[in-house]
Amino acid sequence: MAGTAAAFGAIWAAYRWGASHFIAGQCGSVAETFGFYGVILGLEWRRAGRPTLRSLRSLLVEFGPAELIDTFVTRPLLLAAGPALFDDVSTGVVVGKVAADVLFYAFVMPSRRLHDRLTGRPGPVSLSDRPEPESGETEVGHLGSGAR
């Protein structure tokens, strides 16, 4: 949710300042990347006291290749194409974002399998895959949890 909020805020600000569709798409893409990974690293910091080298390596293996393509190619183009194709900028941004998310996870899945094969263990688990905490307990989460 933080990545999505950051993307929409950056796109709104870019259009407000008169940016082109492409510049607005690039602003949204970079902001979403910072929002998405900021939350993941923040949760890891809270859990371990700081992001560990192991957690950073896991992020790079699992998301690195997909993230490079996503942040600098597919997401900016789709976030720019959506508003260019629709009369309503909001609808175009939502359509572009959903399309970019689908492509991102299509790239992430092979990286996730590579991570599992290289480490010999499953990668980060989503909160939805974990048992509910006992009454009174708190749950911080794992790397990679949550939607982009």
Side-chain angles (χ1 to χ4, degrees):
M1 296 301 284
T4 300
F8 282 112
I11 290 168
W12 176 84
Y15 279 127
R16 177 94 179 177
W17 291 326
S20 68
H21 291 306
F22 180 75
I23 297 297
Q26 189 64 53
C27 290
S29 178
V30 170
E32 186 164 6
T33 299
F34 278 102
F36 181 71
Y37 292 105
V39 168
I40 291 173
L41 292 174
L43 289 172
E44 180 66 8
W45 191 294
R46 192 168 142 195
R47 185 188 68 73
R50 62 182 169 78
T52 63
L53 189 56
R54 183 181 193 181
S55 63
L56 294 173
R57 188 195 75 181
S58 287
L59 278 175
L60 284 174
V61 170
E62 185 171 351
F63 293 108
E67 193 58 56
L68 287 173
I69 294 166
D70 180 71
T71 299
F72 298 110
V73 181
T74 58
R75 190 164 302 269
L77 291 175
L78 290 168
L79 288 175
L85 295 172
F86 291 88
D87 287 335
D88 179 35
V89 171
S90 298
T91 301
V93 169
V94 170
V95 169
K97 188 209 174 335
V98 169
D101 285 349
V102 168
L103 283 174
F104 174 75
Y105 285 107
F107 285 118
V108 165
M109 293 319 223
S111 295
R112 175 73 176 248
R113 287 188 199 102
L114 175 63
H115 174 275
D116 294 352
R117 199 173 45 174
L118 289 175
T119 62
R121 64 184 191 287
V125 179
S126 168
L127 290 178
S128 62
D129 295 337
R130 304 200 59 196
E132 291 293 318
E134 296 295 322
S135 177
E137 290 182 15
T138 59
E139 185 69 43
V140 173
H142 290 281
L143 294 176
S145 63
R148 213 173 140 74

